[in-house]
Amino acid sequence: NAGVMQNPRHLVRRRGQEARLRCSPMKGHSHVYWYRQLPEEGLKFMVYLQKENIIDESGMPKERFSAEFPKEGPSILRIQQVVRGDSAAYFCASSPQDTLNTEAFFGQGTRLTVV
Amino acid sequence: SQQGEEDPQALSIQEGENATMNCSYKTSINNLQWYRQNSGRGLVHLILIRSNEREKHSGRLRVTLDTSKKSSSLLITASRAADTASYFCAPLYSGTYKYIFGTGTRLKVLA
């Protein structure tokens, strides 16, 4: 059973371009969480999704950021018109059900650099 | 903020010594997890401790939970240079489903 797969591992975008980050949860996991980590900081919650549903997007910036978790395929975090401040590591986690009594498994992250 | 607060922020010890990291949180929790992050890498899950548990062990790791004090500790015994990493606690507050991470403890084990 492969772990949580994120790609790309590194992504460089020029200001104004779009960034698409992908996350394939572990097999059998239907819950996905996205977190952002700035240098020397902890992880900040962004969004929680179940298949085809956004459950909680309270940590998402109001503009330019969107996330989806379609019935088929990976979860996508999309950042439009990137700015330098979007440079960070973005981590995805998945769990088989809600996290009441199960741990969340994290991917290796995507490091986004905006130049 | 409801994030777990790790203490100390940084810790430097000699190989073979024990390392203790503490975590405080705000309100009642369902469980609390500890993660390790090596520089520039993803998070590795270490231990999950539930609110009705007081202590858990995994190899050289020992985690305690004191719900009356709203705190948890992670003890690494007989530390090794390979234990050098940042350690995060992530409480899962009651009635929620998202883990809230603190800024971590940066542990450096000197060979």
Side-chain angles (χ1 to χ4, degrees), chain B residues 16-51:
Chain B
E17 293 181 336
N18 296 341
T20 300
M21 288 158 270
N22 302 298
C23 168
S24 59
Y25 55 90
K26 301 287 190 223
T27 60
S28 64
I29 60 172
N30 286 319
N31 64 57
L32 184 145
Q33 298 195 57
W34 283 92
Y35 287 86
R36 183 184 74 221
Q37 184 180 38
N38 291 87
S39 179
R41 307 286 293 276
L43 275 76
V44 174
H45 176 262
L46 297 177
I47 289 183
L48 179 153
I49 187 164
R50 296 182 172 81
S51 59

PDB file of all heavy atoms in Angstrom, chain B residues 16-51:
ATOM      1  N   GLY B  16      23.186   9.801  23.053  1.00  0.00           N
ATOM      2  CA  GLY B  16      23.086   8.950  24.228  1.00  0.00           C
ATOM      3  C   GLY B  16      22.239   9.535  25.339  1.00  0.00           C
ATOM      4  O   GLY B  16      21.718   8.804  26.186  1.00  0.00           O
ATOM      5  N   GLU B  17      22.085  10.869  25.337  1.00  0.00           N
ATOM      6  CA  GLU B  17      21.245  11.509  26.347  1.00  0.00           C
ATOM      7  C   GLU B  17      19.767  11.361  25.965  1.00  0.00           C
ATOM      8  O   GLU B  17      19.421  11.006  24.845  1.00  0.00           O
ATOM      9  CB  GLU B  17      21.602  12.988  26.472  1.00  0.00           C
ATOM     10  CG  GLU B  17      22.976  13.238  27.030  1.00  0.00           C
ATOM     11  CD  GLU B  17      23.292  14.719  27.152  1.00  0.00           C
ATOM     12  OE1 GLU B  17      22.685  15.524  26.421  1.00  0.00           O
ATOM     13  OE2 GLU B  17      24.147  15.066  27.988  1.00  0.00           O
ATOM     14  N   ASN B  18      18.920  11.644  26.954  1.00  0.00           N
ATOM     15  CA  ASN B  18      17.473  11.641  26.693  1.00  0.00           C
ATOM     16  C   ASN B  18      17.018  13.041  26.308  1.00  0.00           C
ATOM     17  O   ASN B  18      17.571  14.037  26.773  1.00  0.00           O
ATOM     18  CB  ASN B  18      16.709  11.193  27.937  1.00  0.00           C
ATOM     19  CG  ASN B  18      17.017   9.763  28.318  1.00  0.00           C
ATOM     20  OD1 ASN B  18      17.514   8.985  27.500  1.00  0.00           O
ATOM     21  ND2 ASN B  18      16.732   9.413  29.556  1.00  0.00           N
ATOM     22  N   ALA B  19      16.002  13.092  25.475  1.00  0.00           N
ATOM     23  CA  ALA B  19      15.427  14.381  25.053  1.00  0.00           C
ATOM     24  C   ALA B  19      13.949  14.404  25.424  1.00  0.00           C
ATOM     25  O   ALA B  19      13.223  13.447  25.126  1.00  0.00           O
ATOM     26  CB  ALA B  19      15.579  14.574  23.547  1.00  0.00           C
ATOM     27  N   THR B  20      13.543  15.461  26.080  1.00  0.00           N
ATOM     28  CA  THR B  20      12.144  15.609  26.459  1.00  0.00           C
ATOM     29  C   THR B  20      11.568  16.875  25.845  1.00  0.00           C
ATOM     30  O   THR B  20      12.149  17.955  25.971  1.00  0.00           O
ATOM     31  CB  THR B  20      11.982  15.680  27.984  1.00  0.00           C
ATOM     32  OG1 THR B  20      12.481  14.478  28.570  1.00  0.00           O
ATOM     33  CG2 THR B  20      10.502  15.840  28.360  1.00  0.00           C
ATOM     34  N   MET B  21      10.449  16.706  25.175  1.00  0.00           N
ATOM     35  CA  MET B  21       9.751  17.839  24.566  1.00  0.00           C
ATOM     36  C   MET B  21       8.338  17.879  25.116  1.00  0.00           C
ATOM     37  O   MET B  21       7.718  16.830  25.311  1.00  0.00           O
ATOM     38  CB  MET B  21       9.711  17.675  23.045  1.00  0.00           C
ATOM     39  CG  MET B  21      11.067  17.888  22.400  1.00  0.00           C
ATOM     40  SD  MET B  21      11.211  17.117  20.778  1.00  0.00           S
ATOM     41  CE  MET B  21      11.818  15.514  21.229  1.00  0.00           C
ATOM     42  N   ASN B  22       7.849  19.066  25.340  1.00  0.00           N
ATOM     43  CA  ASN B  22       6.535  19.236  25.934  1.00  0.00           C
ATOM     44  C   ASN B  22       5.589  19.945  24.978  1.00  0.00           C
ATOM     45  O   ASN B  22       6.014  20.700  24.102  1.00  0.00           O
ATOM     46  CB  ASN B  22       6.648  20.049  27.220  1.00  0.00           C
ATOM     47  CG  ASN B  22       7.570  19.397  28.216  1.00  0.00           C
ATOM     48  OD1 ASN B  22       7.326  18.295  28.674  1.00  0.00           O
ATOM     49  ND2 ASN B  22       8.664  20.076  28.537  1.00  0.00           N
ATOM     50  N   CYS B  23       4.324  19.674  25.181  1.00  0.00           N
ATOM     51  CA  CYS B  23       3.290  20.270  24.336  1.00  0.00           C
ATOM     52  C   CYS B  23       2.118  20.658  25.214  1.00  0.00           C
ATOM     53  O   CYS B  23       1.654  19.848  26.029  1.00  0.00           O
ATOM     54  CB  CYS B  23       2.856  19.252  23.275  1.00  0.00           C
ATOM     55  SG  CYS B  23       1.368  19.692  22.357  1.00  0.00           S
ATOM     56  N   SER B  24       1.642  21.884  25.079  1.00  0.00           N
ATOM     57  CA  SER B  24       0.443  22.302  25.803  1.00  0.00           C
ATOM     58  C   SER B  24      -0.634  22.653  24.792  1.00  0.00           C
ATOM     59  O   SER B  24      -0.342  23.109  23.692  1.00  0.00           O
ATOM     60  CB  SER B  24       0.747  23.511  26.699  1.00  0.00           C
ATOM     61  OG  SER B  24       1.228  24.599  25.926  1.00  0.00           O
ATOM     62  N   TYR B  25      -1.879  22.414  25.171  1.00  0.00           N
ATOM     63  CA  TYR B  25      -2.991  22.710  24.269  1.00  0.00           C
ATOM     64  C   TYR B  25      -4.089  23.409  25.045  1.00  0.00           C
ATOM     65  O   TYR B  25      -3.985  23.606  26.258  1.00  0.00           O
ATOM     66  CB  TYR B  25      -3.496  21.432  23.594  1.00  0.00           C
ATOM     67  CG  TYR B  25      -3.892  20.323  24.544  1.00  0.00           C
ATOM     68  CD1 TYR B  25      -5.192  20.207  25.022  1.00  0.00           C
ATOM     69  CD2 TYR B  25      -2.953  19.372  24.945  1.00  0.00           C
ATOM     70  CE1 TYR B  25      -5.547  19.194  25.885  1.00  0.00           C
ATOM     71  CE2 TYR B  25      -3.307  18.350  25.819  1.00  0.00           C
ATOM     72  CZ  TYR B  25      -4.598  18.268  26.284  1.00  0.00           C
ATOM     73  OH  TYR B  25      -4.955  17.261  27.149  1.00  0.00           O
ATOM     74  N   LYS B  26      -5.147  23.799  24.335  1.00  0.00           N
ATOM     75  CA  LYS B  26      -6.087  24.765  24.927  1.00  0.00           C
ATOM     76  C   LYS B  26      -7.309  24.139  25.579  1.00  0.00           C
ATOM     77  O   LYS B  26      -7.676  24.461  26.698  1.00  0.00           O
ATOM     78  CB  LYS B  26      -6.558  25.746  23.843  1.00  0.00           C
ATOM     79  CG  LYS B  26      -5.434  26.526  23.204  1.00  0.00           C
ATOM     80  CD  LYS B  26      -4.874  27.576  24.117  1.00  0.00           C
ATOM     81  CE  LYS B  26      -3.938  28.473  23.349  1.00  0.00           C
ATOM     82  NZ  LYS B  26      -2.727  28.793  24.033  1.00  0.00           N
ATOM     83  N   THR B  27      -8.014  23.288  24.840  1.00  0.00           N
ATOM     84  CA  THR B  27      -9.283  22.757  25.359  1.00  0.00           C
ATOM     85  C   THR B  27      -9.284  21.243  25.230  1.00  0.00           C
ATOM     86  O   THR B  27      -8.278  20.633  24.871  1.00  0.00           O
ATOM     87  CB  THR B  27     -10.474  23.379  24.612  1.00  0.00           C
ATOM     88  OG1 THR B  27     -10.360  23.072  23.212  1.00  0.00           O
ATOM     89  CG2 THR B  27     -10.507  24.891  24.770  1.00  0.00           C
ATOM     90  N   SER B  28     -10.425  20.621  25.471  1.00  0.00           N
ATOM     91  CA  SER B  28     -10.477  19.157  25.493  1.00  0.00           C
ATOM     92  C   SER B  28     -10.187  18.581  24.102  1.00  0.00           C
ATOM     93  O   SER B  28     -10.528  19.172  23.082  1.00  0.00           O
ATOM     94  CB  SER B  28     -11.852  18.686  25.981  1.00  0.00           C
ATOM     95  OG  SER B  28     -12.855  19.081  25.077  1.00  0.00           O
ATOM     96  N   ILE B  29      -9.549  17.420  24.106  1.00  0.00           N
ATOM     97  CA  ILE B  29      -9.134  16.799  22.862  1.00  0.00           C
ATOM     98  C   ILE B  29      -9.679  15.384  22.740  1.00  0.00           C
ATOM     99  O   ILE B  29     -10.029  14.750  23.723  1.00  0.00           O
ATOM    100  CB  ILE B  29      -7.590  16.748  22.738  1.00  0.00           C
ATOM    101  CG1 ILE B  29      -6.989  15.946  23.900  1.00  0.00           C
ATOM    102  CG2 ILE B  29      -7.005  18.143  22.676  1.00  0.00           C
ATOM    103  CD1 ILE B  29      -5.494  15.679  23.771  1.00  0.00           C
ATOM    104  N   ASN B  30      -9.739  14.910  21.493  1.00  0.00           N
ATOM    105  CA  ASN B  30     -10.040  13.498  21.239  1.00  0.00           C
ATOM    106  C   ASN B  30      -8.760  12.683  21.276  1.00  0.00           C
ATOM    107  O   ASN B  30      -8.712  11.588  21.811  1.00  0.00           O
ATOM    108  CB  ASN B  30     -10.706  13.323  19.872  1.00  0.00           C
ATOM    109  CG  ASN B  30     -12.131  13.785  19.884  1.00  0.00           C
ATOM    110  OD1 ASN B  30     -12.860  13.532  20.844  1.00  0.00           O
ATOM    111  ND2 ASN B  30     -12.557  14.469  18.836  1.00  0.00           N
ATOM    112  N   ASN B  31      -7.744  13.212  20.638  1.00  0.00           N
ATOM    113  CA  ASN B  31      -6.441  12.555  20.665  1.00  0.00           C
ATOM    114  C   ASN B  31      -5.365  13.585  20.354  1.00  0.00           C
ATOM    115  O   ASN B  31      -5.658  14.751  20.048  1.00  0.00           O
ATOM    116  CB  ASN B  31      -6.390  11.376  19.693  1.00  0.00           C
ATOM    117  CG  ASN B  31      -6.544  11.793  18.240  1.00  0.00           C
ATOM    118  OD1 ASN B  31      -5.780  12.606  17.741  1.00  0.00           O
ATOM    119  ND2 ASN B  31      -7.517  11.216  17.535  1.00  0.00           N
ATOM    120  N   LEU B  32      -4.147  13.165  20.445  1.00  0.00           N
ATOM    121  CA  LEU B  32      -3.014  14.042  20.160  1.00  0.00           C
ATOM    122  C   LEU B  32      -1.948  13.201  19.479  1.00  0.00           C
ATOM    123  O   LEU B  32      -1.698  12.061  19.881  1.00  0.00           O
ATOM    124  CB  LEU B  32      -2.481  14.656  21.459  1.00  0.00           C
ATOM    125  CG  LEU B  32      -1.346  15.684  21.353  1.00  0.00           C
ATOM    126  CD1 LEU B  32      -1.491  16.757  22.426  1.00  0.00           C
ATOM    127  CD2 LEU B  32       0.005  14.998  21.472  1.00  0.00           C
ATOM    128  N   GLN B  33      -1.371  13.772  18.434  1.00  0.00           N
ATOM    129  CA  GLN B  33      -0.346  13.035  17.707  1.00  0.00           C
ATOM    130  C   GLN B  33       0.983  13.769  17.783  1.00  0.00           C
ATOM    131  O   GLN B  33       1.026  14.985  17.909  1.00  0.00           O
ATOM    132  CB  GLN B  33      -0.752  12.879  16.241  1.00  0.00           C
ATOM    133  CG  GLN B  33      -2.033  12.099  16.052  1.00  0.00           C
ATOM    134  CD  GLN B  33      -2.218  11.650  14.626  1.00  0.00           C
ATOM    135  OE1 GLN B  33      -1.383  10.966  14.076  1.00  0.00           O
ATOM    136  NE2 GLN B  33      -3.320  12.048  14.020  1.00  0.00           N
ATOM    137  N   TRP B  34       2.033  13.010  17.696  1.00  0.00           N
ATOM    138  CA  TRP B  34       3.387  13.555  17.578  1.00  0.00           C
ATOM    139  C   TRP B  34       3.945  13.145  16.215  1.00  0.00           C
ATOM    140  O   TRP B  34       3.799  11.998  15.786  1.00  0.00           O
ATOM    141  CB  TRP B  34       4.289  13.033  18.689  1.00  0.00           C
ATOM    142  CG  TRP B  34       4.054  13.691  20.013  1.00  0.00           C
ATOM    143  CD1 TRP B  34       3.205  13.285  21.011  1.00  0.00           C
ATOM    144  CD2 TRP B  34       4.703  14.880  20.506  1.00  0.00           C
ATOM    145  NE1 TRP B  34       3.278  14.153  22.076  1.00  0.00           N
ATOM    146  CE2 TRP B  34       4.196  15.132  21.795  1.00  0.00           C
ATOM    147  CE3 TRP B  34       5.664  15.746  19.986  1.00  0.00           C
ATOM    148  CZ2 TRP B  34       4.602  16.212  22.568  1.00  0.00           C
ATOM    149  CZ3 TRP B  34       6.076  16.822  20.750  1.00  0.00           C
ATOM    150  CH2 TRP B  34       5.555  17.051  22.032  1.00  0.00           C
ATOM    151  N   TYR B  35       4.588  14.134  15.564  1.00  0.00           N
ATOM    152  CA  TYR B  35       5.196  13.903  14.266  1.00  0.00           C
ATOM    153  C   TYR B  35       6.651  14.369  14.298  1.00  0.00           C
ATOM    154  O   TYR B  35       7.013  15.256  15.064  1.00  0.00           O
ATOM    155  CB  TYR B  35       4.477  14.695  13.164  1.00  0.00           C
ATOM    156  CG  TYR B  35       3.117  14.175  12.784  1.00  0.00           C
ATOM    157  CD1 TYR B  35       1.978  14.565  13.480  1.00  0.00           C
ATOM    158  CD2 TYR B  35       2.959  13.297  11.712  1.00  0.00           C
ATOM    159  CE1 TYR B  35       0.725  14.099  13.125  1.00  0.00           C
ATOM    160  CE2 TYR B  35       1.710  12.824  11.344  1.00  0.00           C
ATOM    161  CZ  TYR B  35       0.595  13.233  12.055  1.00  0.00           C
ATOM    162  OH  TYR B  35      -0.647  12.769  11.701  1.00  0.00           O
ATOM    163  N   ARG B  36       7.445  13.783  13.418  1.00  0.00           N
ATOM    164  CA  ARG B  36       8.823  14.218  13.223  1.00  0.00           C
ATOM    165  C   ARG B  36       8.972  14.707  11.784  1.00  0.00           C
ATOM    166  O   ARG B  36       8.373  14.142  10.863  1.00  0.00           O
ATOM    167  CB  ARG B  36       9.789  13.063  13.459  1.00  0.00           C
ATOM    168  CG  ARG B  36      11.259  13.458  13.336  1.00  0.00           C
ATOM    169  CD  ARG B  36      12.164  12.244  13.478  1.00  0.00           C
ATOM    170  NE  ARG B  36      12.121  11.410  12.287  1.00  0.00           N
ATOM    171  CZ  ARG B  36      12.094  10.084  12.310  1.00  0.00           C
ATOM    172  NH1 ARG B  36      12.102   9.444  13.457  1.00  0.00           N
ATOM    173  NH2 ARG B  36      12.069   9.406  11.180  1.00  0.00           N
ATOM    174  N   GLN B  37       9.754  15.746  11.621  1.00  0.00           N
ATOM    175  CA  GLN B  37      10.036  16.258  10.293  1.00  0.00           C
ATOM    176  C   GLN B  37      11.530  16.514  10.170  1.00  0.00           C
ATOM    177  O   GLN B  37      12.085  17.359  10.870  1.00  0.00           O
ATOM    178  CB  GLN B  37       9.255  17.544  10.000  1.00  0.00           C
ATOM    179  CG  GLN B  37       9.458  18.060   8.583  1.00  0.00           C
ATOM    180  CD  GLN B  37       8.680  19.337   8.305  1.00  0.00           C
ATOM    181  OE1 GLN B  37       8.558  20.205   9.162  1.00  0.00           O
ATOM    182  NE2 GLN B  37       8.136  19.454   7.087  1.00  0.00           N
ATOM    183  N   ASN B  38      12.155  15.772   9.267  1.00  0.00           N
ATOM    184  CA  ASN B  38      13.543  16.044   8.959  1.00  0.00           C
ATOM    185  C   ASN B  38      13.602  17.237   8.012  1.00  0.00           C
ATOM    186  O   ASN B  38      12.664  17.485   7.262  1.00  0.00           O
ATOM    187  CB  ASN B  38      14.199  14.809   8.327  1.00  0.00           C
ATOM    188  CG  ASN B  38      14.349  13.684   9.314  1.00  0.00           C
ATOM    189  OD1 ASN B  38      13.449  12.886   9.483  1.00  0.00           O
ATOM    190  ND2 ASN B  38      15.461  13.654  10.008  1.00  0.00           N
ATOM    191  N   SER B  39      14.710  17.927   8.043  1.00  0.00           N
ATOM    192  CA  SER B  39      14.831  19.162   7.288  1.00  0.00           C
ATOM    193  C   SER B  39      14.453  18.951   5.826  1.00  0.00           C
ATOM    194  O   SER B  39      15.004  18.097   5.143  1.00  0.00           O
ATOM    195  CB  SER B  39      16.272  19.671   7.384  1.00  0.00           C
ATOM    196  OG  SER B  39      16.426  20.851   6.643  1.00  0.00           O
ATOM    197  N   GLY B  40      13.499  19.752   5.372  1.00  0.00           N
ATOM    198  CA  GLY B  40      13.120  19.706   3.971  1.00  0.00           C
ATOM    199  C   GLY B  40      12.324  18.478   3.562  1.00  0.00           C
ATOM    200  O   GLY B  40      12.133  18.247   2.367  1.00  0.00           O
ATOM    201  N   ARG B  41      11.887  17.694   4.523  1.00  0.00           N
ATOM    202  CA  ARG B  41      11.165  16.467   4.192  1.00  0.00           C
ATOM    203  C   ARG B  41       9.736  16.516   4.704  1.00  0.00           C
ATOM    204  O   ARG B  41       9.297  17.477   5.316  1.00  0.00           O
ATOM    205  CB  ARG B  41      11.893  15.274   4.814  1.00  0.00           C
ATOM    206  CG  ARG B  41      13.358  15.177   4.491  1.00  0.00           C
ATOM    207  CD  ARG B  41      13.588  14.720   3.063  1.00  0.00           C
ATOM    208  NE  ARG B  41      13.172  13.360   2.842  1.00  0.00           N
ATOM    209  CZ  ARG B  41      13.921  12.305   3.104  1.00  0.00           C
ATOM    210  NH1 ARG B  41      15.111  12.457   3.626  1.00  0.00           N
ATOM    211  NH2 ARG B  41      13.471  11.089   2.844  1.00  0.00           N
ATOM    212  N   GLY B  42       8.996  15.425   4.429  1.00  0.00           N
ATOM    213  CA  GLY B  42       7.627  15.323   4.905  1.00  0.00           C
ATOM    214  C   GLY B  42       7.560  14.937   6.364  1.00  0.00           C
ATOM    215  O   GLY B  42       8.569  14.738   7.030  1.00  0.00           O
ATOM    216  N   LEU B  43       6.328  14.841   6.865  1.00  0.00           N
ATOM    217  CA  LEU B  43       6.125  14.491   8.267  1.00  0.00           C
ATOM    218  C   LEU B  43       6.019  12.985   8.432  1.00  0.00           C
ATOM    219  O   LEU B  43       5.366  12.301   7.642  1.00  0.00           O
ATOM    220  CB  LEU B  43       4.846  15.131   8.795  1.00  0.00           C
ATOM    221  CG  LEU B  43       4.990  16.559   9.303  1.00  0.00           C
ATOM    222  CD1 LEU B  43       5.089  17.510   8.141  1.00  0.00           C
ATOM    223  CD2 LEU B  43       3.834  16.927  10.199  1.00  0.00           C
ATOM    224  N   VAL B  44       6.636  12.502   9.482  1.00  0.00           N
ATOM    225  CA  VAL B  44       6.557  11.087   9.816  1.00  0.00           C
ATOM    226  C   VAL B  44       5.757  10.955  11.108  1.00  0.00           C
ATOM    227  O   VAL B  44       6.080  11.590  12.121  1.00  0.00           O
ATOM    228  CB  VAL B  44       7.965  10.486  10.002  1.00  0.00           C
ATOM    229  CG1 VAL B  44       7.877   9.044  10.486  1.00  0.00           C
ATOM    230  CG2 VAL B  44       8.736  10.569   8.695  1.00  0.00           C
ATOM    231  N   HIS B  45       4.714  10.142  11.050  1.00  0.00           N
ATOM    232  CA  HIS B  45       3.887   9.945  12.232  1.00  0.00           C
ATOM    233  C   HIS B  45       4.647   9.113  13.257  1.00  0.00           C
ATOM    234  O   HIS B  45       5.239   8.079  12.929  1.00  0.00           O
ATOM    235  CB  HIS B  45       2.595   9.234  11.838  1.00  0.00           C
ATOM    236  CG  HIS B  45       1.722   8.900  13.000  1.00  0.00           C
ATOM    237  ND1 HIS B  45       1.689   7.664  13.582  1.00  0.00           N
ATOM    238  CD2 HIS B  45       0.857   9.667  13.708  1.00  0.00           C
ATOM    239  CE1 HIS B  45       0.843   7.670  14.583  1.00  0.00           C
ATOM    240  NE2 HIS B  45       0.319   8.871  14.674  1.00  0.00           N
ATOM    241  N   LEU B  46       4.649   9.566  14.516  1.00  0.00           N
ATOM    242  CA  LEU B  46       5.348   8.853  15.577  1.00  0.00           C
ATOM    243  C   LEU B  46       4.374   8.088  16.468  1.00  0.00           C
ATOM    244  O   LEU B  46       4.437   6.864  16.558  1.00  0.00           O
ATOM    245  CB  LEU B  46       6.169   9.832  16.430  1.00  0.00           C
ATOM    246  CG  LEU B  46       7.292  10.566  15.703  1.00  0.00           C
ATOM    247  CD1 LEU B  46       7.966  11.554  16.628  1.00  0.00           C
ATOM    248  CD2 LEU B  46       8.312   9.592  15.121  1.00  0.00           C
ATOM    249  N   ILE B  47       3.522   8.800  17.134  1.00  0.00           N
ATOM    250  CA  ILE B  47       2.598   8.170  18.087  1.00  0.00           C
ATOM    251  C   ILE B  47       1.295   8.949  18.131  1.00  0.00           C
ATOM    252  O   ILE B  47       1.284  10.179  18.074  1.00  0.00           O
ATOM    253  CB  ILE B  47       3.216   8.116  19.511  1.00  0.00           C
ATOM    254  CG1 ILE B  47       4.361   7.103  19.576  1.00  0.00           C
ATOM    255  CG2 ILE B  47       2.164   7.754  20.560  1.00  0.00           C
ATOM    256  CD1 ILE B  47       4.958   6.952  20.966  1.00  0.00           C
ATOM    257  N   LEU B  48       0.198   8.226  18.244  1.00  0.00           N
ATOM    258  CA  LEU B  48      -1.120   8.810  18.524  1.00  0.00           C
ATOM    259  C   LEU B  48      -1.520   8.364  19.918  1.00  0.00           C
ATOM    260  O   LEU B  48      -1.470   7.171  20.229  1.00  0.00           O
ATOM    261  CB  LEU B  48      -2.151   8.335  17.485  1.00  0.00           C
ATOM    262  CG  LEU B  48      -3.598   8.847  17.642  1.00  0.00           C
ATOM    263  CD1 LEU B  48      -4.296   8.878  16.288  1.00  0.00           C
ATOM    264  CD2 LEU B  48      -4.420   7.983  18.607  1.00  0.00           C
ATOM    265  N   ILE B  49      -1.912   9.310  20.750  1.00  0.00           N
ATOM    266  CA  ILE B  49      -2.381   8.973  22.097  1.00  0.00           C
ATOM    267  C   ILE B  49      -3.792   9.523  22.250  1.00  0.00           C
ATOM    268  O   ILE B  49      -4.074  10.677  21.907  1.00  0.00           O
ATOM    269  CB  ILE B  49      -1.414   9.498  23.189  1.00  0.00           C
ATOM    270  CG1 ILE B  49      -1.839   8.986  24.568  1.00  0.00           C
ATOM    271  CG2 ILE B  49      -1.298  11.023  23.169  1.00  0.00           C
ATOM    272  CD1 ILE B  49      -0.761   9.129  25.634  1.00  0.00           C
ATOM    273  N   ARG B  50      -4.691   8.678  22.712  1.00  0.00           N
ATOM    274  CA  ARG B  50      -6.084   9.071  22.845  1.00  0.00           C
ATOM    275  C   ARG B  50      -6.325   9.745  24.191  1.00  0.00           C
ATOM    276  O   ARG B  50      -5.547   9.584  25.122  1.00  0.00           O
ATOM    277  CB  ARG B  50      -6.990   7.860  22.670  1.00  0.00           C
ATOM    278  CG  ARG B  50      -6.896   7.260  21.279  1.00  0.00           C
ATOM    279  CD  ARG B  50      -7.833   6.082  21.062  1.00  0.00           C
ATOM    280  NE  ARG B  50      -7.848   5.670  19.662  1.00  0.00           N
ATOM    281  CZ  ARG B  50      -6.937   4.899  19.094  1.00  0.00           C
ATOM    282  NH1 ARG B  50      -5.937   4.451  19.794  1.00  0.00           N
ATOM    283  NH2 ARG B  50      -7.029   4.588  17.820  1.00  0.00           N
ATOM    284  N   SER B  51      -7.416  10.461  24.277  1.00  0.00           N
ATOM    285  CA  SER B  51      -7.672  11.261  25.477  1.00  0.00           C
ATOM    286  C   SER B  51      -7.848  10.409  26.731  1.00  0.00           C
ATOM    287  O   SER B  51      -7.647  10.887  27.847  1.00  0.00           O
ATOM    288  CB  SER B  51      -8.920  12.126  25.276  1.00  0.00           C
ATOM    289  OG  SER B  51     -10.049  11.317  25.009  1.00  0.00           O
TER     290      SER B  51
END
